[in-house]
């Protein structure tokens, strides 16, 4: 790394090790605007890249997500809860990132440990644009998780009227009962 890149001192050559397997070369990418900086290690293993990818998606960092995927991170990797970068981006309403991940091959039908898709998370949090992007990418609007909850159940339960309207405009059914027998308008 050049001295002072991203405000960090250079790594001394003796600290990097002599064997190629232990040597980590750093590349730094300075992004335009705001002096943001990304640093990736070319020696990172796939598991590390995938963990970094999920964290970057959770933080809505579009540039880092793109760079990590270009470096070999799996766009459909998941954490211990089986949540993918797409699920994490949808959960926090990073619609531009949702769209980018879909274009880069993210599978919109992947479910987490609870059987929830990215659409469930977007609806739960009322992120209408992410809901639209996911439904248009092919996520079944009436899909239910392990507890029988549809995206519409979550949008209704948490008072996201605009998300309810979007889901219903794509054919979400209000007569689907969850595992306890309640429809979305009866309660969760």
């Amino acid at each position: 790394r050049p001295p002072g890149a991203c405000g960090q001192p250079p790594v001394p050559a003796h600290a990097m090790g002599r064997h190629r397997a232990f040597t980590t070369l750093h590349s730094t990418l300075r992004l335009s605007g705001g002096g943001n900086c990304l640093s990736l290690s070319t020696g990172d293993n796939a598991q590390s890249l995938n963990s970094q990818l999920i964290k970057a998606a959770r933080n809505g960092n579009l540039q880092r997500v793109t760079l990590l995927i270009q470096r070999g991170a799996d766009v459909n990797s998941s954490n211990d809860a089986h949540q993918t970068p797409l699920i994490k981006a949808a959960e926090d309403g990073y619609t531009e990132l949702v769209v980018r991940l879909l274009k880069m091959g993210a599978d919109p039908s992947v479910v987490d440990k609870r059987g929830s898709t990215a659409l469930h998370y977007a609806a739960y949090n009322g992120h209408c644009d992410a809901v639209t992007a996911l439904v248009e990418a092919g996520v079944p609007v009436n899909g239910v998780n392990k507890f029988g909850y549809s995206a519409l159940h979550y949008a209704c339960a948490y008072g996201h009227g605009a998300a309810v309207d979007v889901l219903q405009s794509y054919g979400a059914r209000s007569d689907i009962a969850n595992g306890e027998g309640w429809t979305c308008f009866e309660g969760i």
Side-chain angles (χ1 to χ4, degrees), residues 7-183:
Q8 299 176 14
V11 177
H14 69 275
M16 295 178 80
R18 294 180 187 214
H19 297 88
R20 185 174 186 154
F22 298 108
T23 303
T24 302
L25 300 175
H26 295 276
S27 62
T28 302
L29 170 67
R30 184 166 295 284
L31 300 172
S32 60
N36 294 325
C37 191
L38 299 177
S39 177
L40 291 178
S41 300
T42 56
D44 284 338
N45 64 31
Q47 184 177 7
S48 174
L49 287 174
N50 293 341
S51 295
Q52 291 177 53
L53 175 60
I54 292 167
K55 181 178 180 182
R58 184 184 69 226
N59 293 329
N61 191 329
L62 181 66
Q63 291 86 3
R64 186 163 178 83
V65 165
T66 302
L67 186 58
L68 285 161
I69 293 169
Q70 290 171 347
R71 292 287 175 103
D74 179 1
V75 71
N76 290 307
S77 59
S78 62
N79 60 18
D80 291 340
H82 297 227
Q83 296 171 329
T84 63
L86 182 62
I87 287 173
K88 298 311 283 180
E91 179 178 24
D92 290 321
Y94 298 121
T95 304
E96 186 178 356
L97 182 53
V98 166
V99 171
R100 174 76 57 91
L101 287 164
L102 289 166
K103 287 181 181 176
M104 296 183 89
D107 182 352
S109 65
V110 170
V111 297
D112 69 2
K113 281 188 174 182
R114 296 180 172 169
S116 296
T117 64
L119 180 61
H120 285 95
Y121 284 91
Y124 178 94
N125 290 299
H127 301 305
C128 296
D129 292 339
V131 166
T132 299
L134 291 162
V135 173
E136 290 183 355
V139 179
V141 72
N142 290 307
V144 296
N145 63 17
K146 290 181 180 179
F147 308 103
Y149 298 124
S150 68
L152 188 60
H153 277 104
Y154 288 120
C156 287
Y158 293 97
H160 301 300
V164 169
D165 292 343
V166 170
L167 288 163
Q168 288 186 313
S169 75
Y170 283 99
R173 292 179 29 220
S174 60
D175 63 338
I176 296 173
N178 65 15
E180 297 174 0
W182 296 92
T183 66

